[in-house]
Amino acid sequence: MIYTLTLNPAIDRELTITEVQFDSVLPAVHSRVDVGGKGFNVSRLLWSMGTPSIALGFVGGNAGDQLSAGLQALGVATDFVAISGETRTNVSIVTERHDHYLKVNEKGPLVSEASQQVLLDKIAALAQAGDWWVLAGSVPPGVSASYYARIIKILNHRGAVCILDTTGESLRQGCEARPFLVKPNAQEVHWLTGLPVDTLDQLTVAAAVLRDLGAQNVVVSLGKEGALLHTADGTWQAQSPRIQEKNPIGAGDSMVGGMVWSLSQGHALKDALGWGIASGAATAALSGTAVGTRESIEALHQRVELKPL
Ligand SMILES: Nc1ncnc2c1ncn2[C@@H]1O[C@H](COP(=O)(O)OP(=O)(O)OP(=O)(O)O)[C@@H](O)[C@H]1O
Ligand SMILES: [Mg+2]
């Protein structure tokens, strides 16, 4: 089974207006509501590939109910820990011409120590050897940067395989717990290591620092430039096929989804990178929060170029 974990999910509400005008009441031309969460995005990509997954995380209040219903409607099974606070709502205000936007993210509800323990116990009860676990996104208020590391230790102990996609101190401490794979983008690698990440040589040096911290394998995603995979057996560069970019937000989550899908089919890590690239590109080519279809991912996969460095 594949599990995805989103600790600080959100309802994403997008309002479209004709023009930004401050200090006035503006009518919304359209509005839409989406489920927001990096682990959920991974589950959605897996669903596109025809592979089930179970989404875990903290949810609360009406927004939490809305999230559960939204994920079910998208075909994603859930096994949440209910918290007393209300799941956050993030609001985007975009112009019809797409020339301006405002995005306001709530911090998210405080998650108590007791709820954190409930989730750890749930993970310990579910974890089985050979299962795949994707841990993605930021941690909510009240949860320390060591939380992902604690989860990874539980999962490693049971022989489950962990993929971590987070940033900052959570990523650093997460690496120390020896996850199978981490997938930062170049900016996140720079924030963590303080090293330059402008050339492939610099990226390789910086990725090696994450492996020295403890991550077993590192994929650094580079947007339309593709990605770099750094492992104990070597380093590979993958070039992304050219696409007409519509919305690259969430491409990294789709990349993680494509990689875990491929790994769960028994493919080697460098082959999984090709599926990750194709999945990221397929999602970046779509507008809004849509994720790539299996058909588009398979077509793009044929055009991925992979070479050892
Ligand atoms: N414009 C693009 N053209 C082709 N491929 C793209 C494009 N944008 C993203 N991709 C693919 O998706 C992968 C992940 O994208 P990116 O590096 O932007 O992730 P990210 O910064 O983690 O994004 P997010 O956290 O918003 O999901 C890239 O490695 C690449 O293969
Ligand atoms: Mg990302």
Side-chain angles (χ1 to χ4, degrees), residues 70-127:
L71 282 165
Q72 259 149 42
L74 291 167
V76 176
T78 59
D79 188 357
F80 289 134
V81 171
I83 56 170
S84 53
E86 174 92 11
T87 290
R88 62 189 174 146
T89 297
N90 294 336
V91 179
S92 304
I93 300 174
V94 299
T95 58
E96 253 179 328
R97 271 177 277 143
H98 295 284
D99 53 350
H100 289 292
Y101 73 91
L102 280 168
K103 188 163 195 312
V104 184
N105 285 353
E106 285 190 290
K107 279 205 299 270
L110 188 76
V111 179
S112 68
E113 287 283 342
S115 297
Q116 293 178 45
Q117 191 57 49
V118 173
L119 181 61
L120 293 178
D121 292 344
K122 185 190 280 292
I123 291 169
L126 289 172

Side-chain angles (χ1 to χ4, degrees), residues 38 41 165 183-186 188 219-228 238-255 273 276-282 284-285:
K38 300 191 84 68
N41 293 342
D165 181 5
K183 198 237 50 87
N185 61 29
E188 290 161 344
V219 168
V220 185
S221 68
L222 307 168
K224 65 180 183 323
E225 306 299 332
L228 178 120
Q239 231 144 38
S240 206
R242 282 170 74 93
I243 51 136
Q244 182 98 41
E245 181 182 285
K246 291 267 178 63
N247 182 0
I249 298 169
D253 307 333
S254 284
M255 169 180 235
L273 176 63
I277 294 275
S279 302

Side-chain angles (χ1 to χ4, degrees), residues 5 7 120 123 135 139 143-157 162 164 166 169-179 213:
L5 181 65
L7 297 177
L120 293 178
I123 291 169
L135 320 177
V139 299
V143 174
S144 95
S146 62
Y147 195 63
Y148 276 134
R150 290 170 72 189
I151 294 172
I152 293 164
K153 283 182 197 150
I154 294 170
L155 293 171
N156 279 351
H157 185 68
C162 280
L164 177 66
T166 188
E169 187 57 20
S170 287
L171 174 58
R172 195 179 66 75
Q173 295 196 29
C175 284
E176 288 170 359
R178 299 195 49 74
L213 281 173

Side-chain angles (χ1 to χ4, degrees), residues 228-244:
L228 178 120
L229 167 65
H230 187 58
T231 77
D233 302 324
T235 305
W236 288 265
Q237 181 208 0
Q239 231 144 38
S240 206
R242 282 170 74 93
I243 51 136
Q244 182 98 41

Side-chain angles (χ1 to χ4, degrees), residues 174-295:
C175 284
E176 288 170 359
R178 299 195 49 74
F180 173 71
L181 177 69
V182 293
K183 198 237 50 87
N185 61 29
Q187 181 81 65
E188 290 161 344
V189 171
H190 171 68
W191 286 334
L192 186 65
T193 62
L195 295 170
V197 288
D198 301 319
T199 65
L200 286 176
D201 284 345
Q202 290 173 347
L203 280 162
T204 306
V205 170
V209 171
L210 272 68
R211 285 197 55 244
D212 288 342
L213 281 173
Q216 297 176 49
N217 301 286
V218 181
V219 168
V220 185
S221 68
L222 307 168
K224 65 180 183 323
E225 306 299 332
L228 178 120
L229 167 65
H230 187 58
T231 77
D233 302 324
T235 305
W236 288 265
Q237 181 208 0
Q239 231 144 38
S240 206
R242 282 170 74 93
I243 51 136
Q244 182 98 41
E245 181 182 285
K246 291 267 178 63
N247 182 0
I249 298 169
D253 307 333
S254 284
M255 169 180 235
V256 172
M259 289 194 74
V260 72
W261 172 79
S262 172
L263 290 166
S264 73
Q265 303 294 303
H267 302 165
L269 192 49
K270 76 173 174 42
D271 299 322
L273 176 63
W275 285 103
I277 294 275
S279 302
T283 291
L286 297 174
S287 52
T289 54
V291 299
T293 61
R294 180 164 188 149
E295 204 183 10

